[in-house]
Structures are given as structure tokens and as C-alpha cells.
Amino acid sequence: MNKDHVIFNIIQEEFERQKKHIELIASENYTSDAVMEAQGSILTNKYAEGYPGNRYYGGCEVVDKIEEEAIERLKTLFQASFANVQPHSGSQANAAVFQALLKPGDKILSLSLNEGGHLTHGYPLNFSGKVYQGFHYSLDPKTETLDYEDILKIAKIVRPQLIITGYSSYSRTIDFKKFREIADEVGSYLHADIAHISGLVATNLHPSPLPYAHVVTSTTHKTLRGPRGGIIMTNIEEIAKKVDKAVFPGMQGGPLMHVIAGKAIAFLEAQQPAFKDYQQQVLNNAKAFVQAFKKLGYRVISGDTDNHLLVIDVFQKHQITGLDAQKTLDSIYITTNKNTIPFDTQKPKYGSGIRIGSPAVTTRGMIEKDMEQISSWIDEALKNHKNDVVLEKLRKEISLFTSQFPLK
Ligand SMILES: *Cc1c(COP(=O)(O)O)cnc(C)c1O
């Protein structure tokens, strides 16, 4: 069979959707042609269980070079002493860290999913909350930011084996040094999960956790703009050894060599000056969103952003839930996701907010004035979410707009 037309037509349809929509999901991005080329390559044919120089299959001498290069580039990018590039995703990376450092039943202390954490940080329905005991610290109800004194207080009560910092929906700078002090005070490991902010960390636009955390995990497909996957880094040799064993043979079989090739390419791309310019524009665009939404009368959670994302309270402004806002925006080709806000009175399924991220639109070449334009479209749509005439007018305007930012 040459081509599966059913599937290829659907891929084409998804490409059209990606071109037509304004992508504001904070965890998404458009990766480069070079990365996609590697991911679609013949490397997918190769089994390479094990690590370079120590594989369970023959014929690995060529792919070994790819993994070695990926590891070296990653270590350079984050100034890390040890790196594992095999985790299939961010969740797998976290699972490997837990397996390396914890026993079943051990205690994890993290921010809860509803306040901005991740499923794999001890959520009851996730393995991390079933195999381990998940305990959570909270945000300061007034500032909606991390309260390190309170985290220390809770850590002293919980006595966790692992403290996690790094979030899916938190817009402010994280003080990793303070987290390490807390971890040391209660004799816990510190795990920094920089899945969202790794592109900013790689370009020094957010402080790096590597000098402080015992272990650092990330995805490679969010702000880092690489292929879909996970990574683990540490400066401690003993932990590096445990992590390698936990990834393989602990929880994964053959690594995805085509993805590891894509990761290697992304790590080199991220070392170029243009990537730092990109990340700076990501920050500028997120700030532009905050200013625009404030001007329109929205409450921005925590009042500002220091990174690539922000959460706005749509319920307070329009008496519409996050879920309804997401649906309304989807109907005018703006893709966002509903989000709970700290101490939300709506059920998590609905939420009072939407999360907005600038990485994808920035890759597409949009700048501050475009963020202002998008904000005003969002406001107009939410204000008129029952008015089909207005929504239809917005669809026309947005289609014209996105056609000016081609995706190759
Ligand atoms: C996205 C994310 C992950 C998980 O990544 P997947 O690749 O979807 O498994 C882990 N931790 C945090 C904080 C994230 O935001």
C-alpha cells in the first residue's frame, strides 16, 4: 500500500485546522520542519533497548551516535551533568523519577491539579496518587502566588520524601533556591518539573532549577518547541544512575530513536541566538495579553505573568464558565482551554477561567499588537456568546487574519 488516503486526508484536515485557528493553548507549539523530518524518518524501524554502547539488540552502532549527540546537546543547553533523553513523554519522565527515588506509599508534596499542578504530581486518579501518597500545598489566597513560608509549614507536617515544584498553569517566577531550602529542612528530595517553562529556562529568561533541584524533568514539545517527548536531568551521579535504570528496564522498552533524533535537533535549535529572541517575544506577547485583558476589565490571576501564560477569570467578567468560554472561542477559531482559578467556586469540569499561552502564536510570527487584537476578539465573542451574527462576523475577521500568518 502506498498511501492510506483516509488517514492522510484527516492529517490534511488537521493541518487546515491548525492554519485556520489561533492557537493559544499554553502547552502547544509548532515544531520545525527539521524536527518533523527526523520524527517521520526510518529511525522508527530500529529497536535500541538499553543505552549507547550497552544495547540489547545488534545493529545499534549508528543510532547510538544519535542518542549520544542528543544527551550532549541537552547537557550543554541546560548546563546539566547528566541527562536521559528516552522518556516517551513528560509523564513518563516523572514516573521514572518517582521510581528512581521513591518506594510505593512514599509521600509527594506538590501543588494540586486544580491550582495549577499536573496530573502526575499526586492526583488521586493518576498512578502518582495511587502508588504514592499525594499531599498538596496551596497558593496564597490573596496574591494567588506561591507562599514559601506556608509551603515550609506544610512540609514540616507532611514530611514528604519528594517535593515537586514546576506547574502546568502558574504564571509567575519560581524561586527554586527557596524550594531547596524547604526540601533540606525536611530531608526531602526536590524535583523540578519544568515541562512548561523549559524554553525560557534554556535561554535564561527564567532562573534554572539545575543548581538547586536533585532532579529536573521536562517535556520537549511545549516552550522548548521540539518533538513530543520527555527528558530528565540531574547534577548528581548517583541519582543519574537510578534514573537511567528506572527509565530502562524499569518502565520503558525500546526508546523512540526517531523522536530522540528530533530532540537532538531541537536542543541545537534552542542554542541559537534566534531561539532566545523567540523566547523574549513569547514573554513580550504574554505581557501584552495581560495588559490588553486588564484594559478590557478582566481579572488576571495573580495580576500578572512572568512567563508564557496567563489565566483570566471569565466568570467574573461575563458570568460564563471557562468551559462555555472555551466552546465559544473554538467556534470563532480561537483555541484555548478552560481552567480552574485558585479557590474556584465552579466545578473543575467547568472552571471560572481560561488559560492563554503565547508560544504557538509567537512561533507563527505574531507580535504585541496582534495580542491586543486577539484579546479584543476574545472579549467581543464572550460578551456576545449567544449572538450568532457577531460570532459570524468574528469568524470572517479571524479567518482573514490567520491567512496572513502561513504555516508551512
Ligand atoms: C505537560 C506537563 C507534563 C506531562 O507531559 P506529557 O508529555 O503530556 O505527559 C508534566 N508536567 C507538567 C508540569 C506539565 O505541564
Side-chain angles (χ1 to χ4, degrees):
M1 199 159 91
N2 282 329
K3 206 166 183 179
D4 179 334
H5 290 287
V6 175
I7 296 301
F8 274 82
N9 286 341
I10 298 171
I11 293 174
Q12 193 55 39
E13 188 183 338
E14 168 61 9
F15 186 39
E16 296 306 321
R17 187 199 67 81
Q18 291 188 8
K19 284 193 276 193
K20 194 165 185 171
H21 284 234
I22 297 173
E23 183 54 70
L24 298 180
I25 294 178
S27 47
E28 292 195 15
N29 214 327
Y30 308 102
T31 197
S32 69
D33 286 354
V35 167
M36 286 194 286
E37 214 172 282
Q39 279 192 282
S41 75
I42 48 83
L43 292 170
T44 193
N45 299 334
K46 188 69 198 102
Y47 243 116
E49 279 185 359
Y51 290 101
N54 185 21
R55 304 282 192 186
Y56 287 71
Y57 289 92
C60 290
E61 61 280 3
V62 182
V63 292
D64 272 5
K65 292 192 266 186
I66 290 175
E67 188 165 347
E68 279 162 0
E69 189 68 27
I71 290 168
E72 286 312 309
R73 289 180 182 184
L74 180 58
K75 280 157 55 177
T76 304
L77 184 61
F78 287 96
Q79 285 153 14
S81 304
F82 304 94
N84 188 306
V85 296
Q86 290 194 3
H88 300 333
S89 71
S91 297
Q92 305 286 96
N94 289 349
V97 163
F98 303 160
Q99 207 182 105
L101 302 181
L102 304 175
K103 300 184 302 297
D106 276 357
K107 293 179 235 172
I108 293 174
L109 180 63
S110 65
L111 187 66
S112 74
L113 179 66
N114 288 339
E115 285 183 47
H118 189 258
L119 276 175
T120 54
H121 297 182
Y123 185 65
L125 295 180
N126 184 263
F127 82 92
S128 58
K130 290 183 175 175
V131 178
Y132 310 100
Q133 298 184 62
F135 291 87
H136 301 296
Y137 49 84
S138 237
L139 297 175
D140 180 324
K142 276 210 192 79
T143 62
E144 298 170 308
T145 59
L146 294 164
D147 176 345
Y148 298 92
E149 266 172 46
D150 193 55
I151 297 168
L152 174 61
K153 231 186 264 166
I154 293 166
K156 281 182 169 167
I157 296 166
V158 174
R159 293 273 150 189
Q161 279 73 35
L162 184 76
I163 295 176
I164 306 180
T165 177
Y167 314 99
S168 298
S169 184
Y170 184 70
S171 62
R172 309 309 297 272
T173 301
I174 301 166
D175 189 335
F176 295 116
K177 185 162 180 275
K178 279 202 182 133
F179 264 105
R180 178 58 188 261
E181 285 163 9
I182 294 167
D184 283 346
E185 193 146 341
V186 299
S188 160
Y189 286 116
L190 178 63
H191 168 194
D193 177 353
I194 56 169
H196 261 265
I197 56 172
S198 50
L200 297 166
V201 171
T203 48
N204 295 316
L205 293 169
H206 186 289
S208 170
L210 269 141
Y212 306 109
H214 294 92
V215 62
V216 176
T217 57
S218 181
T219 59
T220 45
H221 49 273
K222 296 181 184 175
T223 51
L224 203 51
R225 208 164 67 177
R228 193 160 289 280
I231 47 175
I232 306 172
M233 296 174 281
T234 178
N235 285 327
I236 304 165
E237 187 166 13
E238 192 193 325
I239 290 178
K241 283 184 186 154
K242 286 183 186 169
V243 161
D244 284 351
K245 274 193 203 135
V247 173
F248 178 86
M251 51 169 298
Q252 287 188 178
L256 310 173
M257 293 315 299
H258 54 305
V259 177
I260 291 174
K263 287 174 182 172
I265 293 168
F267 301 152
L268 188 64
E269 287 175 354
Q271 290 172 34
Q272 307 310 310
F275 191 73
K276 182 154 187 170
D277 296 343
Y278 161 66
Q279 295 293 343
Q280 184 62 56
Q281 191 61 49
V282 166
L283 290 180
N284 297 350
N285 283 350
K287 283 266 188 215
F289 267 133
V290 166
Q291 277 159 15
F293 279 115
K294 279 184 167 173
K295 224 196 242 164
L296 290 163
Y298 288 80
R299 196 173 81 79
V300 174
I301 302 312
S302 91
D304 202 354
T305 182
D306 305 319
N307 60 27
H308 63 297
L309 66 82
L310 54 140
V311 176
I312 59 171
D313 186 340
V314 292
F315 192 79
Q316 188 210 43
K317 172 88 171 147
H318 296 293
Q319 289 73 54
I320 174 176
T321 66
L323 182 63
D324 284 335
Q326 175 193 313
K327 285 181 181 162
T328 300
L329 296 175
D330 226 355
S331 82
I332 59 159
Y333 315 135
I334 294 180
T335 316
T336 59
N337 61 277
K338 64 153 200 289
N339 217 95
T340 48
I341 60 175
F343 312 99
D344 208 328
T345 51
Q346 298 288 326
K347 290 202 180 94
K349 198 175 134 192
Y350 302 106
S352 294
I354 54 171
R355 186 182 67 161
I356 290 175
S358 60
V361 287
T362 306
T363 296
R364 220 166 156 175
M366 297 174 194
I367 58 172
E368 290 89 336
K369 69 171 175 23
D370 303 312
M371 304 305 114
E372 214 170 296
Q373 173 64 76
I374 294 167
S375 308
S376 72
W377 278 325
I378 289 174
D379 183 52
E380 200 177 345
L382 298 184
K383 212 183 301 171
N384 297 285
H385 66 279
K386 290 189 177 137
N387 185 335
D388 281 332
V389 178
V390 173
L391 295 179
E392 183 56 27
K393 178 199 78 139
L394 292 175
R395 270 191 284 275
K396 286 211 179 87
E397 287 176 21
I398 289 167
S399 295
L400 185 66
F401 174 76
T402 49
S403 70
Q404 290 158 15
F405 296 91
L407 273 179
K408 277 177 286 146

